[in-house]
Amino acid sequence: MSTLSHSVSDSATMLRRNLRHMLRYPSMTLMLVGMPVIFLLLFVYVFGHPGRGLGPSGGRAHTSTT
């Protein structure tokens, strides 16, 4: 067998094992998908818009362009 066929066979085996693991532990799969969504909502809606951060200038120093 060639190197490519070994790679494809090994990848298929690992994919099958991972899918089987996901079916056995659905809570872990939900956490894997859910955590990025929770962080996205946290940083967007709880910490707010980047222009409305800490301090009077939104946490950034503004320079005058005029």
Side-chain angles (χ1 to χ4, degrees):
M1 292 177 71
S2 70
T3 303
L4 180 61
S5 61
H6 281 294
S7 298
V8 170
S9 174
D10 291 344
S11 297
T13 300
M14 291 306 295
L15 178 64
R16 186 175 62 246
R17 288 179 182 181
N18 284 331
L19 289 175
R20 200 177 294 159
H21 184 78
M22 288 171 57
L23 290 174
R24 286 184 183 156
Y25 302 102
S27 62
M28 189 178 297
T29 304
L30 289 175
M31 288 297 289
L32 179 73
V33 173
M35 288 306 287
V37 173
I38 290 171
F39 281 129
L40 175 73
L41 295 174
L42 177 76
F43 286 116
V44 170
Y45 292 109
V46 174
F47 293 130
H49 189 268
R52 295 180 298 182
L54 300 172
S57 65
R60 298 183 179 145
H62 294 285
T63 57
S64 176
T65 58
T66 57

